[in-house]
Amino acid sequence: MTDSQRNPERPLRLLVVSYHFPPAETVGARRPAALAALALREGWDVRVLTAIGAEQGGEPTPVPEERVIRTAPAPKLPKLNRPAAEPHAGGPARARSGPARARDRITRGLVKAGMELLLPDPQFNWIRPAVRGFHHAAGDWRPDVILVSGPPFSGFVAAASLARRLGVPWVGDYRDLWSVGNDHWVRSATRLAVDRKLERRVLRSVATCVTVSEPLAETLRQTFGVDTHVVMNGIDRRPAPAPAGPTGSGPAGNDLSATTLTLAHTGYVYPGRRDPGPLLDAIALLGPDAARVHVVFAGDDNGVVRSAVERAGVADSVTVLGQVSPEKSWRIQADADALVLLMWNDPRDVGTMTGKIFDYLYARRPVLLLGYEGGVAAKLLRDRGAGVTHNDPPAIAAQLREWLAVKERSGRLPAVPANALEGLFREDQLGRYLEILREVAGRQAGAGR
């Protein structure tokens, strides 16, 4: 007989395994944190197993600290994913000396080797400490179901090991895919085959999987034959940003004409797959009107934006801020006339539903998406009347001219209607997640009869 059968009134016990968790400010921490918080509010007995220390960030932890088991990887590996150049905010990147450039080349080589050789990912050194740390800290507490969120997928290995030792079911949450359908993770054919074999082996014991879009779910079903559900990310409610700057100031606080069309992009920029080049080329096509368009980029760009600005010759129309706080990012989004979402214009990106799109929707500013028009992200914006998708510089330029006319006539682009956000808040999406976890836990209890 299971514990659930002996005491049907006992709250269901959920263990959330996630390498990323608050106080980390990474996007990967949001989904597992929100799920843990909602489960706790709904009366579940929740514990969290994470690699993030209590001092590693500024985000509030959404569950009581005594419910969080924090186990550091051992041994810790050096951080090899730093950008090659640290830019000045709003200015050009610093020149790099010869020795510094050599160190950059070595670092890039180590990153490439690490991504190729460390299985299943560079966080592999957390697997054993995670399993041992849980058994040491949890005492007699045992979950009814384990939920693991990845990437990194070392967490999947740890969760599967815990589930086997404890005799409980586990659920795999794919924020991105692992060995198939993830073309953002560049690997050799040999490494890809090894990853797929490892993933198939890990998933032999999974009760069910969850991911963020139907195309990704179908990929998992067809490749591994696993039951897979769709639960999107959602809009995180947060305090309203501080009052906007004075009239005529842009989203970065710079002085601009009241008729200047201001656009903003917040987040990472990658060459080729999150490429600002078409937008900047479109601004160059505007001729004299280019002076009436200003784009702010806030976030790590590894020099990609600056290079594209130089190629397009539109330096006067762009401000590059570098990394900013979450509060500053939200303020920039709210103050802009429109927001720029950079994604990959390729059918292989059809199922990508970036969490950034929900931040943008909360700001209620129209979105210009550069990405695959047939993808789920473009469909969401289209269906909700929240934005447009363009990839060719002439089409983008035409859209900018249309917005310029509205800005000159009305002083600001209309806000996205509030009803466009209905059903998209985090709690709307995650309520379904708790149903899935409850069903998995109940299935295990039924099997024990």
Side-chain angles (χ1 to χ4, degrees):
M1 232 186 215
T2 67
D3 289 344
S4 296
Q5 289 173 286
R6 283 194 296 268
N7 183 8
E9 300 302 319
R10 175 179 64 76
L12 285 171
R13 295 173 175 175
L14 170 65
L15 173 63
V16 176
V17 179
S18 179
Y19 189 95
H20 300 294
F21 200 77
E25 298 169 358
T26 58
V27 173
R30 292 186 188 179
R31 182 172 169 100
L35 182 60
L38 179 62
L40 190 62
R41 290 197 301 272
E42 293 294 320
W44 291 58
D45 184 359
V46 179
R47 298 290 188 277
V48 176
L49 177 61
T50 183
I52 302 300
E55 306 300 324
Q56 290 182 250
E59 281 292 304
T61 302
V63 298
E65 188 60 34
E66 61 267 21
R67 292 178 176 269
V68 184
I69 302 170
R70 301 185 184 273
T71 61
K76 285 191 174 183
L77 298 178
K79 292 183 178 180
L80 301 176
N81 59 343
R82 290 174 294 182
E86 297 292 338
H88 290 299
R94 290 196 296 263
R96 304 286 283 173
S97 65
R101 289 195 297 271
R103 286 194 297 271
D104 290 342
R105 287 194 295 271
I106 293 172
T107 297
R108 287 193 292 270
L110 288 172
V111 170
K112 184 176 180 180
M115 294 302 294
E116 190 71 12
L117 299 176
L118 303 182
L119 292 170
D121 44 48
Q123 291 77 24
F124 77 98
N125 57 332
W126 184 59
I127 298 172
R128 190 180 297 271
V131 174
R132 288 179 174 176
F134 172 81
H135 286 296
H136 176 75
D140 294 332
W141 187 90
R142 195 186 94 167
D144 295 302
V145 60
I146 298 173
L147 180 282
V148 57
S149 186
F153 293 104
S154 290
F156 275 48
V157 179
S161 176
L162 283 169
R164 183 176 64 254
R165 295 185 185 197
L166 297 172
V168 299
W170 68 281
V171 174
D173 179 61
Y174 284 84
R175 301 190 312 276
D176 290 307
L177 297 188
W178 179 354
S179 69
V180 60
N182 185 349
D183 292 287
H184 293 273
W185 182 354
V186 180
R187 290 158 284 185
S188 68
T190 300
R191 170 59 195 267
L192 195 59
V194 171
D195 277 330
R196 189 166 301 182
K197 184 176 182 179
L198 176 58
E199 184 174 8
R200 189 178 300 278
R201 180 179 177 182
V202 171
L203 290 180
R204 286 175 186 167
S205 61
V206 75
T208 194
C209 294
V210 182
T211 190
V212 298
S213 74
E214 183 56 35
L216 300 190
E218 189 58 24
T219 295
L220 289 170
R221 295 180 195 120
Q222 291 186 0
T223 306
F224 302 108
V226 292
D227 179 49
T228 307
H229 303 268
V230 175
V231 177
M232 288 196 303
N233 289 310
I235 300 169
D236 291 305
R237 297 185 190 272
R238 57 178 183 263
T247 302
S249 67
N254 38 352
D255 293 330
L256 299 172
S257 165
T259 60
T260 298
L261 178 70
T262 59
L263 298 94
H265 174 276
T266 61
Y268 295 99
V269 176
Y270 302 113
R273 299 189 179 184
R274 292 186 183 178
D275 186 2
L279 170 62
L280 302 177
D281 291 341
I283 294 173
L285 292 176
L286 296 177
D289 283 337
R292 299 170 53 210
V293 176
H294 199 88
V295 188
V296 173
F297 289 90
D300 290 337
D301 77 323
N302 294 332
V304 174
V305 173
R306 287 175 175 78
S307 297
V309 167
E310 291 177 5
R311 287 194 301 271
V314 292
D316 292 340
S317 294
V318 177
T319 295
V320 181
L321 294 179
Q323 192 68 35
V324 300
S325 68
E327 292 78 11
K328 174 90 174 193
S329 176
W330 300 337
R331 177 74 270 165
I332 289 170
Q333 292 171 27
D335 285 350
D337 287 309
L339 300 171
V340 178
L341 183 60
L342 300 178
M343 296 182 67
W344 190 20
N345 182 22
D346 190 286
R348 287 172 288 181
D349 212 34
V350 62
T352 299
M353 182 67 83
T354 172
K356 180 60 64 180
I357 200 170
F358 297 101
D359 289 347
Y360 280 10
L361 286 168
Y362 195 61
R364 294 184 55 199
R365 307 309 309 150
V367 178
L368 171 61
L369 168 63
L370 279 70
Y372 182 51
E373 290 192 36
V376 292
K379 184 178 186 301
L380 178 66
L381 293 175
R382 188 166 56 246
D383 290 349
R384 298 279 173 157
V388 295
T389 303
H390 297 298
N391 293 288
D392 296 326
I396 298 171
Q399 182 65 63
L400 295 178
R401 289 188 189 280
E402 181 181 326
W403 280 344
L404 275 168
V406 175
K407 180 69 183 280
E408 186 170 17
R409 185 170 60 249
S410 306
R412 187 153 167 84
L413 301 190
V416 171
N419 60 11
L421 281 57
E422 290 181 0
L424 292 180
F425 285 91
R426 184 80 74 171
E427 60 269 26
D428 299 323
Q429 299 298 317
L430 293 185
R432 167 63 180 144
Y433 217 135
L434 292 186
E435 294 177 10
I436 295 168
L437 294 174
R438 188 177 289 109
E439 191 275 332
V440 169
R443 190 190 313 163
Q444 177 77 0
R449 291 191 179 96

